[in-house]
Amino acid sequence: MLILSCILIGIVLGFGAGKLAHSANQGILTDMGVGAIGAAIGGGAYSTFTITGAALYTTYSLLAAATGAVILLLVCHGVYYAITHSSDQTNPPKAH
């Protein structure tokens, strides 16, 4: 059940990131998928490396899932931006 909650958080954060970044080229569905993957990685990593137990465990796992989603979304948007804007350097200005 926790992994489904993590994935749902990732989908919501991915949707929000797509709207915030106006990523018409990447697409909202791509952002939602990347957010879900990042959330699953973040939540899974947290649950793997911590001791299970109290109700705070779930809260911190969901926070870790949100952090994983945000980090993966930032990386993907940065890589996409670098790839799409690398063609701007094909004709650099001449030095005088």
Side-chain angles (χ1 to χ4, degrees):
M1 185 68 176
L2 181 63
I3 192 72
L4 292 176
S5 300
C6 291
I7 290 173
L8 183 64
I9 285 177
I11 289 172
V12 170
L13 287 172
F15 179 78
K19 289 293 190 180
L20 195 70
H22 304 294
S23 60
N25 294 333
Q26 268 186 299
I28 296 290
L29 291 178
T30 303
D31 286 337
M32 291 169 65
V34 169
I37 292 168
I41 292 170
Y46 181 81
S47 64
T48 300
F49 296 116
T50 59
I51 300 171
T52 61
L56 288 177
Y57 165 73
T58 304
T59 304
Y60 289 136
S61 293
L62 295 178
L63 185 62
T67 304
V70 169
I71 289 172
L72 191 59
L73 283 163
L74 286 172
V75 168
C76 287
H77 277 265
V79 168
Y80 181 78
Y81 181 83
I83 289 172
T84 57
H85 289 83
S86 65
S87 62
D88 294 342
Q89 298 297 325
T90 56
N91 295 320
K94 295 179 181 177
H96 295 281

